[in-house]
Amino acid sequence: MIGRILIPASFATLLLGVWELAVRSFGVPVYILPPPSRIAITFFTRFPMLARHGATTLGEIALGLTLAASFGFLLAIALHHSRSLERGLRPFIVASQMLPVFAIAPLLVVWLGYGVWPKVVVTALIGFFPVVVSELDGLRATSRETVDLLLSMGATRRQLLTKLLLPASLPSLFSGLKLAATLSVVGATIGEWVGARRGLGYLMLESNARLHIDLVFASILMLTLIGLLLFGALRIIERWALRWRDSAGGSASARRGGG
Amino acid sequence: MPALRVSGLEKSFRTPHGTVAVLNSVTFDVEKGEWLTCLGPSGCGKTTSLRVLAGLLEPDAGSVWLDGAHGSRLGRTAYLPQEDTLLPWRTALQNAMLSAEIDGRPLAAARAEAMGLFERFRLLGFEDVYPSQLSGGMRQRVELARTFLSHRELLLLDEPLGALDPQTRASLQEWLLAVWNEFRRTVVLVTHDVEEAVLLSDRLLLLTARPATVRETVSLALLPRPRRRADPGVVAERTRLLSLLAPEVAP
């Protein structure tokens, strides 16, 4: 337990120490690479501004992620229930992932303007695929025997979905959601780079142009914190929703920890 | 009128290596309250016949009457698959109440009934435990409790004790017999364990290797109950059946 915190912490300290020392001893100018101490000071002194832009970005992420999760979830259920729909759409879903979202982000600005929507759409597009694929895998993971059991009890299609397929797919769904959350930070940032007046992506671009590199790093730090916050929140919801797994998973990790 | 009448069942499956006939004109009756066991070599089509009886599989030919009626059997039998089918996200009690939920029965009453059965099934104190924390024998008892709680007259049991170690299995056989004596349902059990069949059944169907057909019907009505595995009658019947089945087992 101590090792799980202590080892990464000392590693981070070492890395920051080397960075600080290198920047100072080689006399690297602040507008090329500021030392970590300077970034930390900027982060705390400019925190109100960073928080304001962070709130904008977080809002875009939350909206985009919600869209990705809802559409991905519903589409996965539809695809699971219709063979022909799946055959028809699967190539397009896969192709949509080959498409670099970067490339269509400027178009989204043309279509949707400079407001919040192009960012939300970019975020949703990026997060959509992991949700669909993982939920679809989860729905397929149910064994034939349990399906047989419920059918023999006289379950309707709806009961089969709510009592068996959906709960069985939850672990997969959460893996997809966590991946989508990680990607959504990237999505919102790209969306803001292409055209925005607010948000951490905008702040990064602005500060970069003015050679305020410490503010660029402070924005990156803020984005990282937002990503960690989202991931942590999802972990908490996942723990609660999959508490039936805790017992088995807990003993397995205890065994690993003991070895 | 028999509780279950099966007449001329035929079923074959198409595989990459051609068509495999699994059931060949399987015919039998089961009376209400009777325990019938299908005994046959592994892979002879026992599971297939149970899936047909449960209504999960349509036979190629032949028919099944449940209580004299011919329609769909889905929702009319209590089927216990061979594999572990407890839902891991439901507690033991929630698993046992699954059928009541699907029927839309009042949950408070179903809960009270399940609690009563948990006492009889030696599961008290484990109602709120998830399946992953239960031992193999307990999981099996939860599955049997779920089957008994389904309010169906006909129980279809596919090797319910197959995955257990011999000791747990032996104790569960005797326990199952006691429970059945108390709750009296019509049972069709499928197994390849001769001793289990002799201990539990009123009547045995000896099935041939694939394609399965009823080779012989053996009545055990004359063997007194309760039976113990050391009873001379049980031992004699077991020995006789083993020698009878031996040629089928040999390759």
Side-chain angles (χ1 to χ4, degrees):
Chain A
M1 196 61 219
I2 293 168
R4 270 181 61 187
I5 299 168
L6 212 62
I7 296 171
S10 44
F11 191 70
T13 314
L14 184 76
L15 206 73
L16 291 175
V18 170
W19 177 354
E20 182 86 33
L21 214 70
V23 168
R24 281 176 189 272
S25 51
F26 292 112
V28 181
V30 195
Y31 57 83
I32 301 286
L33 181 65
S37 57
R38 168 94 185 228
I39 295 168
I41 290 164
T42 308
F43 184 80
F44 287 112
T45 52
R46 312 296 292 275
F47 188 79
M49 185 187 66
L50 283 165
R52 209 168 55 242
H53 286 286
T56 304
T57 307
L58 183 60
E60 294 159 2
I61 292 173
L63 217 56
L65 199 56
T66 309
L67 279 177
S70 334
F71 276 108
F73 180 71
L74 292 176
L75 185 67
I77 292 172
L79 292 179
H80 184 74
H81 278 85
S82 161
R83 260 282 115 135
S84 44
L85 192 65
E86 204 225 314
R87 280 212 193 110
L89 281 185
R90 184 137 218 177
F92 292 99
I93 296 170
V94 174
S96 80
Q97 280 317 288
M98 303 303 131
L99 189 87
V101 179
F102 244 133
I104 60 159
L107 277 175
L108 289 172
V109 175
V110 172
W111 294 334
L112 301 170
Y114 279 86
V116 73
W117 287 108
K119 294 90 180 172
V120 171
V121 171
V122 171
T123 309
L125 280 176
I126 280 189
F128 175 70
F129 186 69
V131 176
V132 177
V133 171
S134 56
E135 173 65 8
L136 203 51
D137 280 349
L139 290 170
R140 292 222 175 96
T142 39
S143 70
R144 196 199 70 183
E145 288 76 25
T146 43
V147 173
D148 273 3
L149 176 79
L150 267 84
L151 287 176
S152 77
M153 288 177 171
T156 60
R157 272 174 84 96
R158 191 200 179 94
Q159 284 174 327
L160 205 61
L161 187 69
T162 57
K163 301 220 180 281
L164 180 63
L165 298 181
L166 291 184
S169 73
L170 269 189
S172 281
L173 178 65
F174 273 107
S175 325
L177 282 179
K178 284 190 286 186
L179 189 57
T182 317
L183 292 172
S184 68
V185 179
V186 180
T189 310
I190 292 174
E192 288 173 355
W193 281 352
V194 178
R197 293 184 208 97
R198 291 197 281 278
L200 290 171
Y202 159 81
L203 185 62
M204 276 165 79
L205 224 56
E206 276 293 297
S207 315
N208 207 38
R210 291 175 190 172
L211 294 183
H212 290 181
I213 305 302
D214 50 346
L215 204 49
V216 175
F217 273 100
S219 307
I220 292 174
L221 182 61
M222 196 68 183
L223 271 176
T224 310
L225 290 178
I226 287 176
L228 286 175
L229 184 84
L230 274 173
F231 197 81
L234 272 173
R235 275 290 299 251
I236 290 170
I237 301 172
E238 181 187 27
R239 282 255 174 90
W240 175 80
L242 305 181
R243 58 196 176 283
W244 51 271
R245 236 173 34 166
D246 264 13
S247 46
S251 62
S253 64
R255 270 199 300 281
R256 250 180 278 127
Chain B
M1 180 181 68
L4 176 70
R5 162 159 286 176
V6 176
S7 164
L9 282 193
E10 309 264 345
K11 182 74 194 171
S12 50
F13 291 108
R14 221 170 291 153
T15 73
H17 310 290
T19 311
V20 178
V22 181
L23 303 179
N24 177 22
S25 131
V26 172
T27 300
F28 61 89
D29 283 359
V30 188
E31 298 302 324
K32 191 166 166 22
E34 186 183 26
W35 186 308
L36 179 88
T37 297
C38 301
L39 194 60
S42 297
C44 78
K46 296 186 298 261
T47 298
T48 304
S49 32
L50 276 197
R51 294 187 71 224
V52 169
L53 295 187
L56 295 163
L57 210 58
E58 276 306 310
D60 299 337
S63 31
V64 179
W65 288 270
L66 245 184
D67 286 321
H70 191 64
S72 163
R73 293 177 298 285
L74 289 178
R76 299 186 55 209
T77 66
Y79 171 54
L80 177 55
Q82 186 175 356
E83 291 76 11
D84 187 344
T85 47
L86 290 180
L87 304 180
W89 55 86
R90 285 176 163 253
T91 63
L93 195 71
Q94 289 170 339
N95 264 293
M97 289 168 57
L98 185 59
S99 185
E101 272 180 47
I102 292 203
D103 291 350
R105 280 185 257 149
L107 287 186
R111 198 184 168 80
E113 190 191 357
M115 285 300 284
L117 205 65
F118 263 45
E119 182 164 18
R120 186 67 193 79
F121 278 42
R122 301 198 309 252
L123 288 164
L124 224 53
F126 291 94
E127 305 90 60
D128 299 327
V129 170
Y130 290 106
S132 60
Q133 290 161 293
L134 294 173
S135 71
M138 290 177 111
R139 293 162 74 98
Q140 213 51 45
R141 292 209 297 278
V142 175
E143 294 204 279
L144 285 162
R146 183 188 65 201
T147 313
F148 272 93
L149 282 166
S150 66
H151 288 199
R152 309 291 193 270
E153 179 49 43
L154 178 63
L155 310 188
L156 304 170
L157 311 179
D158 192 353
E159 303 222 23
L161 311 176
L164 301 171
D165 60 277
Q167 230 171 338
T168 314
R169 184 172 181 144
S171 80
L172 274 189
Q173 283 166 354
E174 289 173 13
W175 167 82
L176 185 57
L177 197 56
V179 168
W180 175 71
N181 258 323
E182 197 174 316
F183 296 93
R184 274 297 160 154
R185 301 282 178 82
T186 312
V187 174
V188 176
L189 169 78
V190 143
T191 185
H192 59 253
D193 183 327
V194 175
E195 186 177 58
E196 182 171 297
V198 174
L199 269 176
L200 297 173
S201 330
D202 296 316
R203 208 151 46 93
L204 300 180
L205 291 185
L206 304 189
L207 300 178
T208 62
R210 209 164 51 201
T213 187
V214 179
R215 201 178 116 188
E216 201 178 328
T217 310
V218 178
S219 173
L220 299 176
L222 292 178
L223 268 186
R225 288 178 187 270
R227 297 171 192 157
R228 309 226 128 231
R229 63 193 73 242
D231 291 349
V234 171
V235 174
E237 193 59 42
R238 201 195 70 175
T239 317
R240 192 182 75 83
L241 285 170
L242 276 174
S243 63
L244 202 65
L245 289 170
E248 286 288 349
V249 177

